[in-house]
């Protein structure tokens, strides 16, 4: 994967913006030491922050918004017709499906 990076600096501070498909990760730190150690720190910071900001995927390899389409459709149609109060069972069924995919939902 190629990550476009925008670099900006002032004195000994460095700000890096990483543009991922659906998110922007901001990394800020102060550069100290020789050029080689600074470069190593930048690479570590970029990789660590990029990994934290990757979209979460379930067991099927899909993000939460695309997981469990069958229960999601039934839930959405019910809520439109009856409101949330009248669809508690379908809402709970969709949450159970998402939990089975490995997502944490309340």
């Amino acid at each position: 994967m190629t990550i476009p990076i925008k670099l900006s600096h002032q004195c000994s501070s460095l700000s890096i913006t990483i543009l991922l498909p659906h998110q922007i990760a901001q990394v800020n730190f102060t550069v100290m030491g020789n050029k080689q150690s600074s470069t190593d720190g930048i690479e570590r910071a970029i990789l660590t922050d990029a990994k934290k900001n990757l979209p979460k995927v379930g067991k099927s390899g899909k993000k939460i918004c695309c997981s469990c389409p069958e229960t999601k459709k039934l839930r959405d149609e019910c809520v439109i017709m009856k409101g949330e109060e009248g669809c508690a069972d379908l809402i709970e069924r969709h949450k159970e499906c998402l939990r089975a995919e490995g997502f944490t939902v309340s």
Side-chain angles (χ1 to χ4, degrees):
M1 164 176 37
T2 302
I3 302 174
I5 300 174
K6 173 187 161 191
L7 297 175
S8 62
H9 61 85
Q10 293 177 338
C11 301
S12 62
S13 294
L14 180 63
S15 177
I16 300 173
T17 302
I18 301 172
L19 304 173
L20 297 172
H22 297 288
Q23 298 175 342
I24 297 176
Q26 184 75 35
V27 180
N28 294 304
F29 54 91
T30 301
V31 178
M32 302 176 82
N34 63 37
K35 189 174 183 177
Q36 181 61 42
S37 64
S38 297
T39 303
D40 292 344
I42 292 169
E43 290 173 6
R44 261 194 311 279
I46 290 171
L47 292 174
T48 300
D49 203 58
K51 286 179 184 176
K52 284 191 292 187
N53 288 306
L54 288 175
K56 307 286 187 272
V57 295
K59 294 176 183 174
S60 65
K62 297 177 183 176
K63 295 183 289 182
I64 194 167
C65 62
C66 302
S67 296
C68 305
E70 299 84 11
T71 57
K72 182 178 181 178
K73 181 180 179 183
L74 292 172
R75 178 206 63 186
D76 291 350
E77 289 173 354
C78 182
V79 170
I80 290 170
M81 300 301 288
K82 301 178 182 179
E84 285 186 40
E85 300 79 23
C87 302
D89 58 329
L90 292 174
I91 292 170
E92 189 56 38
R93 194 176 317 157
H94 183 59
K95 287 180 180 181
E96 289 171 4
C97 180
L98 293 174
R99 287 184 196 112
E101 277 288 311
F103 296 105
T104 302
V105 289
S106 57

